[in-house]
C-alpha cells in the first residue's frame, strides 16, 4: 500500500502572442516561471544563471530572452521567419517548464 500522497502535476500550456517588436514573440504560460522578478539576456554568456535562457540561446536564431512571472519573450535574428519556429519554441518552453 502506497501511503505517500501523490502530487498532482498541472499540465503546462503555452501560447504565442505577437509583440510590437516584429523580431520578438511572447510565449505565455499557465504556470509561474519566475517570482517577483524579470530578467533579460542578450547573449548565452550573460544567461549563465538561467537554465531556460541558456537552452533557448542554443537555438541558432535566438538573439535575446526576457523572462517574467508567466511569460518568456524571445527575440530572433533575421535568419528565419516566426511561422517556421513558433511551434518549435512553444513545444520547447512547454516541455522545459513541465519538467521543472
Amino acid at each position: 500500500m502506497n501511503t505517500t500522497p501523490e502530487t498532482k502535476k498541472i499540465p503546462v500550456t503555452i501560447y504565442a502572442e505577437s509583440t510590437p517588436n516584429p523580431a520578438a514573440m511572447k510565449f505565455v504560460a499557465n504556470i509561474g516561471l519566475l517570482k517577483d522578478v524579470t530578467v533579460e539576456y542578450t547573449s548565452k554568456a550573460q544567461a549563465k544563471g538561467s537554465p531556460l535562457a541558456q537552452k533557448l540561446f542554443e537555438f541558432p536564431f535566438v538573439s535575446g530572452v526576457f523572462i517574467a512571472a508567466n511569460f518568456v519573450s524571445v527575440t530572433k535574428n533575421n535568419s528565419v521567419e516566426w511561422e517556421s519556429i513558433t511551434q518549435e519554441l512553444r513545444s520547447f518552453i512547454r516541455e522545459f517548464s513541465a519538467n521543472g
Side-chain angles (χ1 to χ4, degrees):
M1 185 164 116
N2 187 356
T3 57
T4 354
E6 288 186 35
T7 45
K8 203 166 197 176
K9 215 172 184 183
I10 297 172
V12 177
T13 58
I14 303 286
Y15 70 88
E17 191 176 276
S18 59
T19 69
N21 177 354
M25 184 73 68
K26 185 176 177 179
F27 297 89
V28 183
N30 67 325
I31 62 166
L33 300 172
L34 289 179
K35 290 185 181 195
D36 303 325
V37 68
T38 59
V39 291
E40 182 172 15
Y41 305 105
T42 55
S43 70
K44 187 173 182 176
Q46 195 182 55
K48 279 199 192 298
S50 170
L52 175 57
Q54 284 268 288
K55 289 289 188 185
L56 286 168
F57 276 110
E58 290 178 9
F59 289 95
F61 48 80
V62 172
S63 62
V65 176
F66 179 89
I67 306 172
N70 72 327
F71 72 89
V72 178
S73 286
V74 175
T75 305
K76 68 170 188 65
N77 59 33
N78 292 328
S79 67
V80 293
E81 295 300 319
W82 281 117
E83 295 78 31
S84 61
I85 61 172
T86 301
Q87 186 58 44
E88 179 181 10
L89 286 171
R90 266 186 68 214
S91 295
F92 173 80
I93 294 168
R94 182 177 42 77
E95 288 298 316
F96 190 94
S97 300
N99 294 320

